[in-house]
């Protein structure tokens, strides 16, 4: 019972006084997470259809997924595109956020809003525009086209996360390094970047997940020899109820959770020995 009387923060508010907030947060988390967790037992069903709870248990749909050349080809494509998107969107977004943060020109706010445009425009319009542009450029159904489109979608997230990290960073430290003779790029790499690395790692993770989970744009510009995993999953749901989708979703949940834990581990501040 002493826990209820302890201060929850630096103020005098106790855990007991905030108990309603804890309960409300728990209910919201359950409502958000429960539909996702239901997929996991469904993936171990032996039925030909999606059912919950499963009447009999089996790993047959995992075997079907790993043994299917079609699903494996789509998985490799999605992983390849997501990794390339992360490698392109992260440095570009970090440099853009740094430029906006360090600039004193009048139209910085307008430039920031402009970079967030892909988040404001409906994905269907982005997909249609990319489709017609790629037809003219002859990069439709290619990995290059997917990486370019997904980079556009991931850049706003990278800029927002990195910009938030830069707001808590004191630019005087970088200016001190520059005053001692370090070029701007070296001062950024050796002074600024190590201190905002958690934000950069988080931004890179979000860029990867944005590409890996994206389906609307992929429906228009992926296919042929380069279908994405989410596109095949959507088609499988549209054409037939394939329980393989539940096993793929479970694997994606585990991969996403692992990457989040990895980002927290790599990005947290290291305590001096």
């Amino acid at each position: 019972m002493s826990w209820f009387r302890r201060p929850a923060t630096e103020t005098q508010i106790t855990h007991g006084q905030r108990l309603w907030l804890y309960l409300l947060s728990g209910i919201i988390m359950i409502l958000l997470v429960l539909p996702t967790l239901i997929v996991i037992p469904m993936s171990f069903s032996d039925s030909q259809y999606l059912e919950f709870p499963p009447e009999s248990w089996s790993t047959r749909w995992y075997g079907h997924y790993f043994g299917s050349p079609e699903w494996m080809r789509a998985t490799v494509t999605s992983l390849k595109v997501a990794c390339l998107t992360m490698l392109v969107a992260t440095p570009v977004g970090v440099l853009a956020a740094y430029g906006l943060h360090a600039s004193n020109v009048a139209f910085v706010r307008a430039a920031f809003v402009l970079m967030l445009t892909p988040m404001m425009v409906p994905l269907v319009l982005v997909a249609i525009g990319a489709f017609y542009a790629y037809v003219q450029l002859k990069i439709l159904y290619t990995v290059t086209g997917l990486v370019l489109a997904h980079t556009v979608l991931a850049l706003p997230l990278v800029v927002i996360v990195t910009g938030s990290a830069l707001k808590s960073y004191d630019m005087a430290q970088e200016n001190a390094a520059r005053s001692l003779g370090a070029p701007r790029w070296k001062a950024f790499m050796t002074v600024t970047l190590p201190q905002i690395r958690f934000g950069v790692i988080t931004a890179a993770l979000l860029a990867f997940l944005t590409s890996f989970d994206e389906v609307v744009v992929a429906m228009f510009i992926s296919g042929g020899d380069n279908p994405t995993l989410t596109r095949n999953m959507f088609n499988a749901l549209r054409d037939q109820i394939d329980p393989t989708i539940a096993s793929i979703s479970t694997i994606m949940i585990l991969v996403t959770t692992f990457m989040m834990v990895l980002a927290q581990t790599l990005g947290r501040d290291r305590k001096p020995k």
Side-chain angles (χ1 to χ4, degrees):
M1 295 297 294
S2 60
W3 178 82
F4 291 95
R5 294 189 293 269
R6 293 178 186 173
T9 60
E10 295 180 356
T11 64
Q12 298 301 316
I13 300 176
T14 63
H15 288 288
Q17 293 173 318
R18 297 183 65 178
L19 186 60
W20 67 271
L21 181 60
Y22 299 153
L23 294 175
L24 179 61
S25 301
I27 293 173
I28 294 175
M29 290 183 63
I30 291 173
L31 293 176
L32 291 175
V33 175
L34 188 60
T36 302
L37 297 180
I38 289 177
V39 175
I40 298 177
M42 291 173 63
S43 67
F44 291 97
S45 173
D46 193 40
S47 174
Q48 292 284 347
Y49 306 97
L50 293 173
E51 62 176 19
F52 181 84
E55 295 183 0
S56 57
W57 301 87
S58 174
T59 58
R60 59 178 295 192
W61 299 114
Y62 287 92
H64 181 264
Y65 166 62
F66 288 107
S68 171
E70 181 181 359
W71 285 113
M72 287 294 100
R73 182 170 64 250
T75 302
V76 171
T77 300
S78 290
L79 290 174
K80 184 191 302 183
V81 171
C83 289
L84 292 175
T85 299
M86 179 180 64
L87 293 176
V88 175
T90 302
V92 174
V94 169
L95 292 178
Y98 175 78
L100 293 173
H101 179 76
S103 179
N104 294 321
V105 296
F107 55 86
V108 168
R109 189 176 299 274
F112 177 76
V113 174
L114 183 64
M115 295 202 67
L116 302 185
T117 303
M119 297 181 64
M120 306 174 188
V121 178
L123 284 179
V124 174
L125 297 181
V126 176
I128 294 174
F131 176 81
Y132 283 108
Y134 287 2
V135 169
Q136 300 296 324
L137 297 173
K138 298 181 179 180
I139 57 174
L140 190 64
Y141 302 155
T142 63
V143 172
T144 301
L146 281 168
V147 171
L148 291 176
H150 287 177
T151 298
V152 171
L153 299 178
L155 269 177
L157 294 175
V158 177
V159 172
I160 291 174
V161 174
T162 308
S164 299
L166 286 169
K167 286 182 179 179
S168 61
Y169 169 71
D170 186 6
M171 288 294 292
Q173 300 178 58
E174 182 179 313
N175 293 333
R178 293 172 59 192
S179 67
L180 295 174
R184 186 158 198 160
W185 67 268
K186 189 173 184 178
F188 173 79
M189 295 296 295
T190 58
V191 179
T192 304
L193 187 59
Q195 297 191 55
I196 63 170
R197 65 181 183 275
F198 178 73
V200 174
I201 292 174
T202 303
L205 172 65
L206 291 176
F208 179 93
L209 295 178
T210 298
S211 173
F212 192 68
D213 294 337
E214 202 284 320
V215 62
V216 177
V217 175
M219 290 296 298
F220 283 81
I221 64 173
S222 72
D225 294 332
N226 297 298
T228 63
L229 185 60
T230 52
R231 184 182 190 276
N232 281 9
M233 291 174 67
F234 182 86
N235 289 336
L237 279 174
R238 182 190 61 188
D239 301 334
Q240 58 182 349
I241 305 300
D242 189 354
T244 308
I245 300 172
S247 63
I248 298 173
S249 300
T250 301
I251 294 174
M252 294 177 68
I253 292 171
L254 295 176
V255 170
T256 302
T257 304
F258 171 77
M259 293 187 66
M260 293 294 292
V261 173
L262 184 63
Q264 294 289 331
T265 303
L266 296 178
R268 67 186 179 192
D269 294 331
R270 296 179 180 177
K271 297 180 180 180
K273 296 181 180 181

